[in-house]
Amino acid sequence: MQTILDIEDTIRYHHSYLYNKLIEKNQIKQYQLFERKKELIKNTLYGVDIKNWAVEIAKMRLWLSMILDVESEYFTDEKSKQEPLLPSFSFKILA
């Protein structure tokens, strides 16, 4: 997940740097880090491992990574009340 985030940041930085006059800053979609991680987990990341404990550790590491970046304002937002804080890994990371 961190590698994908780093690549996105590099592309976004170079894109905005090289084409600053062609693209307005508000057109480049900027997410908070928590939301970006949540979207990556929901739409991009999948995993398989032979060992059950390795799968559980991978799930825990992803959740911890997200929780570290959640901001307190997220809990007062209406969107946060309608969807779960953390995504489900039930079919995304399997043993």
Side-chain angles (χ1 to χ4, degrees):
M1 179 171 59
Q2 191 58 48
T3 302
I4 294 172
L5 287 170
D6 292 343
I7 291 170
E8 281 183 346
D9 288 342
T10 301
I11 291 170
R12 189 173 285 124
Y13 170 76
H14 287 294
H15 186 264
S16 64
Y17 179 75
L18 294 174
Y19 302 103
N20 195 17
K21 292 184 181 184
L22 298 176
I23 298 173
E24 295 179 21
K25 289 183 181 180
N26 62 355
Q27 290 177 341
I28 298 173
K29 205 169 192 179
Q30 297 284 337
Y31 289 109
Q32 294 178 0
L33 191 53
F34 173 77
E35 286 295 329
R36 287 176 57 205
K37 287 181 178 183
K38 191 172 183 177
E39 288 299 314
L40 272 177
I41 290 170
K42 283 178 16 181
N43 300 323
T44 306
L45 295 180
Y46 295 89
V48 176
D49 201 301
I50 294 173
K51 302 189 184 294
N52 285 327
W53 60 267
V55 169
E56 295 305 317
I57 288 174
K59 291 176 185 179
M60 185 178 64
R61 289 189 68 195
L62 289 171
W63 279 329
L64 287 174
S65 173
M66 288 181 61
I67 290 298
L68 291 175
D69 293 317
V70 70
E71 305 215 0
S72 59
E73 295 88 33
Y74 185 83
F75 298 106
T76 59
D77 186 23
E78 286 299 318
K79 180 182 175 185
S80 68
K81 294 176 184 174
Q82 297 173 358
E83 62 182 57
L85 177 65
L86 299 171
S88 172
F89 296 117
S90 60
F91 67 95
K92 300 188 77 54
I93 301 177
L94 303 170

